[in-house]
Amino acid sequence: MQLFKLVALLPFIAPLALAASSKDCAYKTKEEVHAPHGWIKHSKPSPDHKVSLRIGLPQPNFGILEQHLYEVSDPDHERYGQHLSKEEVEELVAPHQESLDSVGEWLSAFGFKEEDVTRSPAKDWVSITVPVSLAEKMLDTTYHVWKHVGSGESLVRTTNYRLPSNLHEHVDVVQPTTSFGRFQPFKSTVVPFDEEPEPLVNSLVEAESFGSDVTVDPSCNSTITISCLQQLYNAVGYVASNNTKNSIGITGYLEQFANIQDLQTFYAEQRPDAVNSTFKFFSIDGGLNNQTLSEAGVEANLDVQFAFGLSHPIPAIFYSTGGRPPFNPDQTTPTNTNEPYQAWLDFVLTQKNPPLVVSTSYGEPEQTGKVTKFWADKSTEALFSVPESYARRVCASIAQLGARGVSVIFSSGDGGVGDGNPNPATQQCITNDGRNVTRFLPTFPASCPFATSVGGTEHIDPEVAVSRFFSGGGFSDYQQFLRPAYQQAATRKFLSTLPDGLYKDLYNPAGRGFPDVSAQGDRYRIWYQNRPILIGGTSASSPAFAGLVALLNDARFKAKKGPLGFLNPLLYSKGASTFNDVTGGRNPGCGTLGFNATEGWDPVTGLGTPNFGKLKDIVTSRFAL
């Protein structure tokens, strides 16, 4: 399909008369919310407190990009594997010139010049850093410091903002304004040792049968190692190459960085051929890389050791992204950069060659507020801690990566159907619409239809849904994250097994279901601060699955094919039969027993756990271009 040509952009110089007309145009409400459950208004920020406003301009041709994405990701389509270039994707998400001009005139009216503005490569995002007093004038609003009762975290936010009426069709979203999201790591829960753990024994003991063609060391019931994952998922004996076309990436946030000394100790114990190898490091917005052992990040160590250990010697990248809550709103110098995931997306989309598979073990509940049966009544208002307008744009960025051949992997979360708190008894799953009723809390960005979400399992022969915490899963509440075509049959089959009326009004049965797949999620043996520990969470499942995807990409390169890219259309079709179905366990939360793991896809373990050997045969077969 021939892509349209991008219209040459005009210089950012707006006549003062036009600027004045934009500024003087009557303001109308663009977005208005009630503060989500758990947030209280605390105080006024300093007028000089800096806010980095990100203005999302409409992407009028995103539907064409989405069509490309599904065509190049569908194994039954003639274009399968023919991913787009960076420039082709940017062309498809670029805003109309009229939107660029209108937003430019508005910014000029407040004294901004081109050098004050940062633009995304496609010009669909405009970023400016301003004191909160000026942001209030630009958006005709009032910011406050809001505090989260449970954590004590602070955000500078408003519950509404307004724009000149002539700008509404040219601006999708402005943030940070109404977003109360708490981007958090999923619980990398350390398993306490009663005594110092014994050294690993490298020689295998008698193995138990797992499926028809895989054997697994019984010790994997109590400790998960690289060898255990290779055995469980039929990857024993596969030797990857260090093809520079291939790559795997891990994202780190909230002061998380990976310690190289711990990584080398881990390699010496579990992957001796990887000793002295390392990874490429990128710091984004001041992301840390302090190699002091006492300051190493347990989440980052887990992700790097298993993702890179499984995929060695495939080129590896670690991204450390700065910016986080809580912050001190009384300080005037720091910028309120507590949406670090978008900062990572902004950075990686500028890269000519992003990593071909990326794992992220962070997320947040979609909503903590007013949500009713809006899937049946489009006019009913819903309240989200991550506004749908913003979530949709983040998800659109993930789609851009998928169209370029990147597999984007997310943990599904550890709170079952609840709020990310592994203890169902203390979860807060309450609406704030006056009814104070229970509502399941799906996880974003795991609920993005263009991402692959990974749940957690434990044990061998058989694997079951992890039980020490609970594999996140359910159905998206966002109106625009409806059930995608690739999972229609699988999701309908699952829903048909539920008793009539079960969890009525607690979830959206028309929404995108997640997770898509699962992998072992507990008792991973890692090295942390120069000692071995056991750790668990879907934050372990995601990098493990990503490591296997990197190996699949390696197999495709060896077969003279390209990377897999967006995985889900393949996984739910030709790939579905290659997964080990998980039929035991459930994901309780919000005062309920949650959903059951059942035959076929379910919102606890997805399609099940991967059989690498079978998947490799499929993705390197003649059908796969």
Side-chain angles (χ1 to χ4, degrees):
M1 180 179 296
Q2 181 66 37
L3 297 179
F4 64 91
K5 299 297 183 182
L6 181 64
V7 177
L9 298 179
L10 298 175
F12 182 89
I13 301 177
L16 290 179
L18 288 176
S21 66
S22 176
K23 183 178 180 181
D24 295 339
C25 189
Y27 270 66
K28 292 196 316 183
T29 298
K30 178 66 176 177
E31 193 164 30
E32 184 171 12
V33 302
H34 299 287
H37 181 80
W39 289 97
I40 58 172
K41 190 183 294 184
H42 178 265
S43 59
K44 280 283 292 177
S46 164
D48 297 325
H49 178 77
K50 294 295 195 302
V51 177
S52 291
L53 289 179
R54 303 186 74 258
I55 304 163
L57 279 62
Q59 301 168 324
N61 293 295
F62 181 79
I64 300 175
L65 173 72
E66 188 174 8
Q67 179 182 346
H68 280 285
L69 173 64
Y70 279 116
E71 287 180 358
V72 302
S73 306
D74 179 357
D76 291 322
H77 198 280
E78 62 181 2
R79 294 185 62 215
Y80 180 70
Q82 299 177 22
H83 299 109
L84 305 184
S85 69
K86 174 178 180 290
E87 292 75 19
E88 288 171 330
V89 167
E90 290 168 1
E91 194 173 334
L92 285 167
V93 298
H96 286 323
Q97 187 65 44
E98 184 182 358
S99 295
L100 290 166
D101 292 342
S102 296
V103 172
E105 292 165 10
W106 176 60
L107 293 177
S108 290
F110 288 95
F112 290 99
K113 300 178 180 179
E114 176 64 11
E115 55 265 32
D116 301 322
V117 175
T118 301
R119 300 180 186 276
S120 64
K123 308 294 191 295
D124 56 330
W125 283 103
V126 174
S127 300
I128 52 173
T129 299
V130 299
V132 71
S133 57
L134 180 54
E136 290 180 330
K137 292 178 181 178
M138 295 174 66
L139 302 175
D140 192 22
T141 190
T142 300
Y143 278 87
H144 287 89
V145 177
W146 294 81
K147 282 204 168 183
H148 188 259
V149 175
S151 66
E153 294 174 1
S154 298
L155 295 175
V156 172
R157 291 292 186 269
T158 180
T159 53
N160 68 85
Y161 67 94
R162 293 155 56 86
L163 290 172
S165 56
N166 68 316
L167 272 188
H168 278 235
E169 64 180 303
H170 301 297
V171 173
D172 277 347
V173 63
V174 181
Q175 290 293 347
T177 50
T178 57
S179 173
F180 285 79
R182 298 174 57 236
F183 191 67
Q184 296 292 313
F186 292 124
K187 300 295 183 181
S188 298
T189 307
V190 176
V191 181
F193 284 115
D194 294 331
E195 55 187 33
E196 191 69 18
E198 295 293 330
L200 288 181
V201 178
N202 290 326
S203 59
L204 289 179
V205 298
E206 182 180 355
E208 297 179 1
S209 170
F210 186 86
S212 59
D213 54 1
V214 181
T215 56
V216 183
D217 189 318
S219 67
C220 298
N221 259 318
S222 58
T223 302
I224 294 296
T225 63
I226 293 289
S227 178
C228 287
L229 295 175
Q230 291 170 332
Q231 295 169 58
L232 273 164
Y233 303 138
N234 195 18
V236 173
Y238 183 80
V239 179
S241 66
N242 62 351
N243 188 335
T244 56
K245 292 182 179 180
N246 200 3
S247 51
I248 179 172
I250 293 293
T251 62
Y253 303 94
L254 312 182
E255 285 87 56
Q256 284 278 329
F257 54 89
N259 184 268
I260 294 174
Q261 181 178 330
D262 279 338
L263 177 64
Q264 294 302 319
T265 306
F266 173 84
Y267 281 163
E269 178 184 79
Q270 295 194 36
R271 192 74 202 243
D273 61 324
V275 171
N276 295 325
S277 68
T278 187
F279 53 86
K280 188 179 294 185
F281 174 84
F282 286 97
S283 174
I284 304 169
D285 283 0
L288 301 179
N289 191 28
N290 183 346
Q291 287 299 308
T292 304
L293 271 173
S294 62
E295 297 184 23
V298 66
E299 173 64 52
N301 272 14
L302 163 66
D303 291 359
V304 162
Q305 289 172 24
F306 272 86
F308 299 166
L310 266 174
S311 60
H312 177 76
I314 294 169
I317 302 169
F318 182 79
Y319 299 93
S320 177
T321 303
R324 64 162 291 163
F327 70 102
N328 184 350
D330 297 323
Q331 294 178 341
T332 60
T333 302
T335 301
N336 183 11
T337 54
N338 59 321
E339 292 171 331
Y341 183 65
Q342 186 61 53
W344 176 80
L345 279 169
D346 291 345
F347 176 84
V348 79
L349 284 170
T350 68
Q351 302 303 296
K352 186 73 173 179
N353 297 300
L356 295 180
V357 55
V358 182
S359 173
T360 298
S361 298
Y362 296 73
E364 53 202 312
E366 283 184 352
Q367 56 85 21
T368 54
K370 184 198 300 184
V371 178
T372 56
K373 294 188 294 183
F374 65 83
W375 55 89
D377 178 4
K378 293 295 181 74
S379 65
T380 303
E381 181 183 8
L383 175 66
F384 299 95
S385 57
V386 184
E388 183 169 0
S389 58
Y390 185 61
R392 180 173 55 82
R393 287 301 297 261
V394 170
C395 192
S397 295
I398 294 172
Q400 293 179 52
L401 287 173
R404 291 173 59 182
V406 178
S407 303
V408 184
I409 315 293
F410 282 94
S411 303
S412 69
D414 302 330
V417 294
D419 65 355
N421 180 351
N423 183 355
T426 58
Q427 288 182 347
Q428 300 293 316
C429 309
I430 306 299
T431 64
N432 69 337
D433 57 357
R435 298 179 302 146
N436 293 324
V437 297
T438 299
R439 180 77 183 180
F440 291 168
L441 300 179
T443 303
F444 178 79
S447 62
C448 169
F450 308 125
T452 299
S453 174
V454 186
T457 61
E458 64 181 351
H459 302 319
I460 62 173
D461 204 13
E463 282 186 275
V464 296
V466 70
S467 61
R468 192 164 60 89
F469 40 84
F470 302 103
S471 179
F475 301 85
S476 176
D477 270 326
Y478 291 132
Q479 294 184 47
Q480 298 204 17
F481 290 3
L482 296 178
R483 184 190 309 145
Y486 59 74
Q487 67 170 192
Q488 285 281 2
T491 306
R492 283 174 176 165
K493 180 180 178 182
F494 171 80
L495 291 171
S496 71
T497 68
L498 296 180
D500 289 344
L502 181 66
Y503 304 146
K504 186 177 185 295
D505 296 340
L506 294 185
Y507 74 102
N508 174 13
R512 184 269 206 265
F514 73 101
D516 301 296
V517 297
S518 53
Q520 285 282 314
D522 202 6
R523 305 186 71 86
Y524 277 58
R525 181 181 171 103
I526 71 166
W527 281 78
Y528 175 61
Q529 297 183 355
N530 204 31
R531 68 186 182 95
I533 63 171
L534 297 185
I535 193 169
T538 55
S539 53
S541 310
S542 182
F545 185 78
L548 294 174
V549 174
L551 295 180
L552 292 172
N553 279 335
D554 179 75
R556 280 183 60 84
F557 280 122
K558 289 177 179 177
K560 310 299 183 185
K561 304 177 188 299
L564 290 168
F566 177 39
L567 295 169
N568 294 4
L570 168 70
L571 300 182
Y572 282 88
S573 57
K574 293 184 183 296
S577 63
T578 69
F579 281 80
N580 310 308
D581 197 7
V582 179
T583 59
R586 60 196 337 151
N587 59 353
C590 301
T592 76
L593 294 176
F595 297 109
N596 287 338
T598 62
E599 182 179 348
W601 180 88
D602 55 70
V604 186
T605 61
L607 296 167
T609 58
N611 184 314
F612 171 80
K614 291 182 178 180
L615 273 168
K616 178 176 68 70
D617 289 345
I618 285 179
V619 301
T620 58
S621 65
R622 293 185 63 183
F623 94 86
L625 299 177

